[in-house]
Amino acid sequence: MASAEREPVRRVGRWVSVRLRHRDVRIQGDIGDECVSYAGIEITSFENGTTVGERWIPLGVDPSEADDEQLIQQLRDALIWQARRPP
């Protein structure tokens, strides 16, 4: 497994991982299938080493201010979740 694809180190408590990823999507058409790859930011939430949530924010070629605001809000929410004590 490539170093960029390794599983995160298991840690105690809450933490988030933020990674730039590419997703491949297969589109079925009349002529045949086409595979499209696009970039996005994956925010994964962990609690005691277990994945408890995952968010995907697509990255456009020319992001708008609204796209930037969405990304900032998602990062903010993830970090606030990380800082809170679990119930």
Side-chain angles (χ1 to χ4, degrees), residues 12-47:
V12 176
R14 288 181 164 186
W15 59 284
V16 295
S17 168
V18 179
R19 295 178 174 187
L20 177 62
R21 297 279 207 180
H22 284 84
R23 288 201 173 172
D24 296 325
V25 176
R26 181 167 293 168
I27 301 169
Q28 294 179 349
D30 295 335
I31 300 172
D33 292 352
E34 180 181 353
C35 190
V36 178
S37 181
Y38 59 98
I41 294 177
E42 180 182 84
I43 301 173
T44 308
S45 302
F46 297 90
E47 192 157 359

